[in-house]
Structure formats: structure tokens, C-alpha cells
Amino acid sequence: MGVKNTNPDKNPRKSFFYYYGIVLLVVFLLNTFLVPSMMGRSVKEVSYDQFLHFVEANQVDMVYQDEEGLMFTVKEGVEKEWGVTAYKTGLWPDASLTDRLLAAGVTFSQEIVTQPSLLSTIFVQWIIPIVLFIAIGQILGRTLQKKMGSMGNPAMTFGKSNAKIYAETETGKTFGDVAGQEEAKEALQEIVDFLHNPQKYAEIGATLPKGALLVGPPGTGKTLLAKAVAGEAHVPFFSISGSEFVEMFVGMGAAKVRDLFKQANEKAPCIVFIDEIDTIGKKRDGGGIGGNDEREQTLNQLLTEMDGFDGKKGVVILAATNRPESLDQALLRPGRFDRRIPVELPDLKGREAILKVHGKEVKLEDSVDFNSVARATSGASGAELANIVNEAALRAVRMGRHLVTQSDLEESVEVVIAGYQRKDASVSQKEKRIVAYHEIGHALVAACQSNSAPVHKITIIPRTSGALGYTMQVEAGERFLMSKEEALNKIATFTGGRAAEEFMFQSITTGASNDIEQATKIARAMVTRYGMSDQFGMVALETVNNQYLGGDTSMVCAPETAKAVDDEVIAIVKEQYQKALGILKSHAAKLNELSEYLLERETITGEEFMEILERE
Ligand code: ADP
Ligand code: MG
Ligand code: ZN
């Protein structure tokens, strides 16, 4: 199946005629005003003695005389200024001139044609400009179209909406390109099936939901899934991003929506995909002076259109967002986006599958173990995993290898997590020592508690993210729940770095800011959201605002309660800090030994760490 006809215009000829009409008019005006004034230059005035020079050099071709003077042309091949076709000079009483001219073989002419031949005039004045204009028109049209991501006949979308049509050959994606996300694919498969056999659904009287909303964190493959649906369904695919509706002029966005649905109705069965729908679908609050008229108008138009079209006709609307909580309720009510398809961060199996899909695009060494990479990347999105594979391939090229190795993948995991190594960073030996003790502090506290993820790697090589070192812990398998004990152990592990600094150097540094943040976050969530404190029990004291974007929260409790929450959080972190300090004190010898070893090596593996820790 080839590319679908992408022309949304009912009468494409019309816009063609407009365009070429304008071209003709411009060329005509040029010819009437500009060219003659330039042609004025074609006859050049020269002095009489210059004329005689020409004669003596035997270069004069034709001569013509009137009351004002002489007009003459020179022979072909004689060098003259650009654009000059003839010369003019004044009259001089020169009796012998006629004889000399005759002797030189000059033709006496009735008149001198100062214009080039008719054919070349037409060529220069009409054909070249018109061809040029058409070429420019084509190029402009094509770049415009490219910007809009669609193919098709250029010069047709002037003044048209940017809604693009993708056909299967253009997205080139299928469900095979989407790893994991089985539930999402299943839900979308039904839509694909409906678009293939609408009558099967009509027979039994079932109507498919008009719209499906893909929700999930950034980079989880929402856009990819929508493209895959188009690839699977073999129907036209109109894709537009919410931000494209937001126009400078009020009313333009609404017009675009109208246009989009008009096109979609003509092409049914087809899919309309609105990416990042939250940009237009935000809650209408009605507040603020002037509000956001443009956006509200656009949203209203979208709602109207969704109600207006006939669901049985086979127009399916997909939309994607990573902030579903900010969407206007009206969009979510039945008959609109009533089906919600969660596209969550991949689990261990999903991560491995995604790595494999992207691993197919690069040449891999046989020994590559994606499972271990997947385990080290808990919480990574599909986009990040794709990036990790690509970074690994880039590293392989930098190292002059032909195959991607496991160490490339491991290094690129760290690059994506912590940034590139900063080989040039000049960290003093004294600071390096502090960093080494800090990192071993984390690792030692983690290792000496039960229910902590094993240490995978410890390094004190600075990274471009600003980290001077870090300790990587990797869970053995996938974890979905965290017990209270594990949460507390995590906090203790985070405080372990600072505890080691205080214990060893009796001074503390700013290097623990990120640890502090993480520890506080867990402690606060324990109290306000997980019901893990004795004082408050199972009461939600905070709500999450942006489930998929950072997960910032807002307090929902009285000011006195907020104060009590703070006290509780502080007490938890303090207690864990003391616990960590206790662990380090009782393992002081190991702390020293491990830290000096790390200082020397800069990077050590989990196995080396455990080996030293466990030997007598
Ligand atoms: P979203 O729209 O959810 O922000 P995208 O669909 O734009 O995410 O995904 C970005 C890229 O990440 C994709 O082009 C693809 O390379 C990769 N990716 C994300 N999820 C997956 C997945 N499940 N399988 C394979 N690749 C994925
Ligand atoms: Mg997207
Ligand atoms: Zn730390």
C-alpha cells in the first residue's frame, strides 16, 4: 500500500491558478517598469575620437547617421561593457570619413537595432523569471510541507491547516517496534481491529469509544504507540501536536480544529492523533483578566467537534498527555476521551525488551547481557533506554571498536544517570579522600543492613552532572512494594555518606546535599502518604499534583499538623543518621581499608567491595 493521497483541498487547481496568476503579474510588471529602464543603458555615448579608434582598429560593424549624430555597432568578438549593444557619438565635419568607413568595410544602415533578438528577449524576460518563480514556489512549498511533516503535492497547503496525514508507509512503525506495554497494545489493538472491520462491530451494535487517551510519564512511548497504531491500521493518520493549535491570533486554533475534523471526516475511516493534548485541554478556570481566550476557544471547538461526528463512521481520536490531572473534566466524560490507556514506566521485563528492540539497531558483542543492564536502570523510561543503547554505540565508535560491549552499556548507563566522566576536573587529593570515605560510608551502611539492594559499583571519578562520586546499588529483581523497614534503611544509607565524613574528619561538607534531599523525601512520604508513622497513622496529609512529572506534592492539613509532620520527619532522619553513624563506628577498620582502596583505584565493583568487607 502506497502513500495515500494527501491532498485535503477539494479544488487544488484553484490555488495553483492563484499562484501562477500572481507569478505572471509580477513578471509583467517587471518587464514594463524595470527592464526598459535597464535597457536604457544599452546605447553608450562615446567621444568622437573613441569612435575613430574603433574605425581604425577595424572593429565597426554598422553605422547609421541622423541629425543628432552617429550610431554604430561593433563587430562580434570585440570586447564591450555588459549590456551595451550600440554606441553613439556626436557629428563632426569629417570629409574623409565616408571613404575610410567604406575602406574598412562598414555597412551603412538605415537604422540600428539596439534590442536583442525577439527570441532571446522572450527567453530572458519571460521564460527565465517564470521558471525561477515556479522553482521557488516548489521549494517553498516543499519546505513548508516538510516542516509539517507530511508529503504530498506542494503549493497546495497555503492557508490550510497543518494537520498532517501519515499513512502506514510514513510512520513506518508497528507494534513490533514498541517493546513491553502489553496492556496498552492490547487496548489499541481493538481500535486497529475496528478500523479494519467496522461492519463486524456494527452488526452486533457495538460502538467503539470515540477517543482514547494515552497517559504516562514522558518518554514511555506514547507517541510511538500512536504511530504504531497508524502503521497497523493502514488508514490515514492525522497527527498534530497540541502546541500547534496555540496560535498568535484568537480564533486560529479553533479554525484549525474545525479544519482537522473536516479533513478527518472526508477520509474516514482514519485516526486523528493529538499529541500533548494538555496544552489545549487544560482546565478552564475562567479566572484572570482576559483569561486565555484563544486556548478556551480551541478547547471548546474540540469538544464540539468530538460531539458532532458520527462514531460509527470510523474516525478514532487518540491523544497523549503526561499531565492527565490537569485536563479539563469535559474532555474525559463519556463520548469523548472516555477510554484511558496507561503507558507506565517499564518494569524489569519491559526494560529488557526495550533494550533488545533498540539493541537490534546496533552491532552487539555476543556476550552482552541486557538483563543486567535492565536491572541497573530501574525507573528509566523507554526513551532513556534507547538513549543508553545509542550512547553505548557512540562509545564503541570512540574506542575504535566494531561491536558494542557490555562495558559500553554499563558506562552509558552511568552517563545517562550521572553525566560524562570529567577527566579534566582537578579535585585535590584531600577532597578525593573525603569523597572516598563518603561513598564507602553509603556502601557500608547499605551492606550492613538487611533488606538493602546490593552494592554494584562505587566510583569517585567526577561526572559532568557535578557528582564527585557515587555508589550504585542494583536490586536483584523488580520491586513493587517497600516495607517500612526498607524505607528506613534507605534513609540510613543516604545519611551514611555524611556520617562517614563526620566520623572520620570531624567536619562536614556540602557534598551531601542530594543525599539530604532524597532522605527527606522518603521520610516525608512515609509520614504524609504511606501512613508509616505512629502519630498520624493512615491519614493522607499530602496530595500528589503531577503524578508523572516529578511528583511534586501539596500539603492538605492544618498548619499545626504541618508543624508536627516536620517534627516527625526530622526525628526519623535523625534517628537513621545515628544508626548509620553507629554502623560506621563499629566497622571503623573496614571503613578505612575500603576507603583507601577506593581512593587508589577510583572505581571498584560490588564484588571487590564485598570481598574486602567479608575477609578477616
Ligand atoms: P512519549 O511520547 O511517551 O514521551 P515517545 O513515544 O516520544 O515517548 O518515545 C521516545 C522514544 O523512546 C521512542 O522514539 C523510542 O525510541 C523510545 N521508546 C519509548 N518507549 C519505548 C518502547 N516501549 N519500546 C521501544 N522504544 C521505546
Ligand atoms: Mg510524546
Ligand atoms: Zn552521598
Side-chain angles (χ1 to χ4, degrees):
M1 189 156 145
V3 178
K4 300 251 172 184
N5 174 19
T6 56
N7 171 23
D9 199 328
K10 269 200 201 123
N11 192 354
R13 283 262 147 81
K14 222 164 107 193
S15 47
F16 259 127
F17 283 134
Y18 278 136
Y19 180 68
Y20 295 126
I22 290 170
V23 168
L24 277 174
L25 188 70
V26 170
V27 172
F28 175 74
L29 290 176
L30 275 178
N31 278 330
T32 2
F33 296 110
L34 196 62
V35 177
S37 71
M38 278 173 64
M39 280 306 195
R41 287 194 49 207
S42 65
V43 178
K44 194 189 172 195
E45 201 127 2
V46 294
S47 65
Y48 195 74
D49 69 292
Q50 272 176 300
F51 165 61
L52 290 179
H53 263 295
F54 278 117
V55 176
E56 264 141 45
N58 226 347
Q59 288 176 331
V60 177
D61 186 24
M62 286 195 285
V63 175
Y64 160 75
Q65 186 178 12
D66 63 13
E67 305 84 57
E68 287 167 27
L70 286 167
M71 189 107 134
F72 66 95
T73 60
V74 293
K75 288 186 180 151
E76 247 165 68
V78 177
E79 204 184 316
K80 27 182 192 192
E81 277 170 61
W82 183 82
V84 173
T85 51
Y87 293 91
K88 218 160 95 179
T89 185
L91 267 180
W92 286 78
D94 190 341
S96 63
L97 180 65
T98 316
D99 294 341
R100 277 169 35 217
L101 288 179
L102 272 174
V106 174
T107 320
F108 293 87
S109 171
Q110 280 298 306
E111 70 175 327
I112 287 196
V113 185
T114 59
Q115 298 285 326
S117 77
L118 191 64
L119 213 67
S120 58
T121 315
I122 290 177
F123 193 73
V124 170
Q125 295 185 21
W126 290 93
I127 298 188
I128 291 184
I130 290 176
V131 167
L132 228 108
F133 267 103
I134 293 175
I136 291 172
Q138 301 261 336
I139 291 166
L140 271 182
R142 213 160 280 162
T143 34
L144 269 177
Q145 296 252 325
K146 241 181 225 154
K147 260 194 201 151
M148 303 182 296
S150 97
M151 298 283 293
N153 217 333
M156 267 188 303
T157 39
F158 288 125
K160 274 275 151 193
S161 124
N162 310 5
K164 310 161 262 190
I165 305 182
Y166 284 106
E168 138 235 24
T169 41
E170 287 171 64
T171 70
K173 301 278 184 222
T174 63
F175 282 150
D177 293 306
V178 189
Q181 307 297 4
E182 298 305 330
E183 296 82 7
K185 280 197 264 185
E186 207 168 288
L188 291 167
Q189 183 59 50
E190 196 183 8
I191 292 175
V192 171
D193 193 48
F194 170 72
L195 291 167
H196 279 167
N197 300 304
Q199 68 281 6
K200 189 171 91 185
Y201 289 76
E203 266 165 29
I204 203 163
T207 35
L208 218 68
K210 282 183 181 174
L213 186 64
L214 298 160
V215 297
T220 45
K222 299 182 294 297
T223 307
L224 184 65
L225 271 165
K227 286 184 179 165
V229 171
E232 296 276 338
H234 308 297
V235 296
F237 182 66
F238 294 81
S239 147
I240 189 161
S241 169
S243 59
E244 286 175 60
F245 285 120
V246 183
E247 291 281 344
M248 182 99 78
F249 303 106
V250 174
M252 286 283 277
K256 272 192 177 171
V257 173
R258 220 174 300 128
D259 204 41
L260 175 68
F261 278 86
K262 196 167 136 256
Q263 290 181 39
N265 263 321
E266 285 163 12
K267 294 280 175 202
C270 67
I271 296 169
V272 173
F273 175 52
I274 306 173
D275 209 352
E276 319 282 347
I277 194 171
D278 43 281
T279 31
I280 48 165
K282 264 192 234 128
K283 286 194 178 80
R284 293 164 292 185
D285 43 17
I289 305 159
N292 195 337
D293 268 357
E294 162 64 357
R295 221 196 59 225
E296 287 190 8
Q297 275 196 24
T298 311
L299 177 55
N300 286 335
Q301 188 65 38
L302 180 65
L303 297 176
T304 315
E305 294 289 348
M306 285 194 78
D307 290 342
F309 76 82
D310 180 3
K312 292 196 178 69
K313 236 181 129 179
V315 179
V316 174
I317 304 170
L318 295 180
T321 179
N322 40 35
R323 26 193 345 159
E325 60 287 317
S326 77
L327 287 184
D328 199 291
Q329 283 307 312
L331 267 175
L332 303 174
R333 64 137 239 241
R336 290 168 185 158
F337 291 110
D338 42 357
R339 184 168 292 190
R340 238 173 121 113
I341 303 178
V343 186
E344 298 288 348
L345 286 173
D347 57 10
L348 179 60
K349 226 176 84 205
R351 289 197 300 276
E352 194 176 339
I354 293 172
L355 286 167
K356 278 188 180 146
V357 162
H358 290 278
K360 281 202 197 103
E361 291 155 25
V362 300
K363 286 193 185 149
L364 295 168
E365 214 176 53
D366 289 341
S367 63
V368 163
D369 174 15
F370 279 130
N371 182 272
S372 98
V373 180
R375 273 191 288 119
T377 46
S378 153
S381 69
E384 281 164 325
L385 293 168
N387 189 18
I388 284 172
V389 173
N390 190 51
E391 281 289 339
L394 289 176
R395 184 171 184 265
V397 174
R398 268 202 301 277
M399 312 283 264
R401 271 189 268 101
H402 297 291
L403 296 174
V404 174
T405 64
Q406 186 73 17
S407 72
D408 289 332
L409 284 164
E410 275 170 13
E411 171 61 26
S412 78
V413 168
E414 288 175 52
V415 166
V416 172
I417 293 173
Y420 287 97
Q421 292 188 358
R422 273 174 58 198
K423 300 234 168 63
D424 57 333
S426 51
V427 181
S428 72
Q429 199 57 26
K430 188 176 154 222
E431 280 179 331
K432 272 210 146 116
R433 238 176 108 81
I434 296 177
V435 176
Y437 274 88
H438 178 108
E439 295 307 331
I440 294 293
H442 285 307
L444 207 53
V445 172
C448 295
Q449 294 175 118
S450 51
N451 284 327
S452 275
V455 173
H456 182 72
K457 186 174 183 177
I458 311 167
T459 167
I460 54 168
I461 298 173
R463 296 273 165 175
T464 46
S465 66
L468 293 174
Y470 61 87
T471 303
M472 210 164 135
Q473 283 174 274
V474 174
E475 299 275 2
E478 188 78 21
R479 304 299 303 268
F480 297 102
L481 289 172
M482 182 163 68
S483 69
K484 183 174 174 181
E485 191 199 354
E486 283 163 342
L488 292 173
N489 286 353
K490 263 201 164 132
I491 297 173
T493 304
F494 278 121
T495 61
R498 163 65 67 85
E501 287 179 39
E502 195 197 331
F503 173 50
M504 273 310 299
F505 306 102
Q506 283 80 48
S507 76
I508 52 180
T509 68
T510 53
S513 61
N514 186 43
D515 301 335
I516 293 171
E517 209 180 305
Q518 300 282 344
T520 312
K521 218 177 187 172
I522 299 175
R524 180 166 284 276
M526 284 175 71
V527 177
T528 60
R529 283 162 49 208
Y530 302 145
M532 287 181 178
S533 71
D534 300 331
Q535 190 181 346
F536 299 105
M538 285 181 58
V539 175
L541 300 167
E542 262 180 8
T543 53
V544 179
N545 297 333
N546 267 321
Q547 190 186 353
Y548 295 127
L549 298 172
D552 50 331
T553 52
S554 40
M555 288 293 248
V556 278
C557 58
E560 306 87 68
T561 320
K563 164 101 183 40
V565 167
D566 288 338
D567 292 342
E568 179 97 21
V569 170
I570 292 166
I572 290 176
V573 177
K574 272 199 169 146
E575 192 186 326
Q576 294 312 308
Y577 182 80
Q578 288 309 323
K579 184 168 109 192
L581 203 57
I583 291 174
L584 295 177
K585 278 181 179 162
S586 60
H587 292 81
K590 287 289 173 197
L591 175 63
N592 274 316
E593 189 183 351
L594 283 161
S595 302
E596 295 303 331
Y597 185 73
L598 175 62
L599 191 57
E600 185 188 316
R601 298 291 179 97
E602 295 208 319
T603 300
I604 63 174
T605 64
E607 288 93 60
E608 287 176 278
F609 173 82
M610 287 314 289
E611 204 262 318
I612 296 176
L613 183 61
E614 277 162 7
R615 84 177 162 219
E616 285 311 309

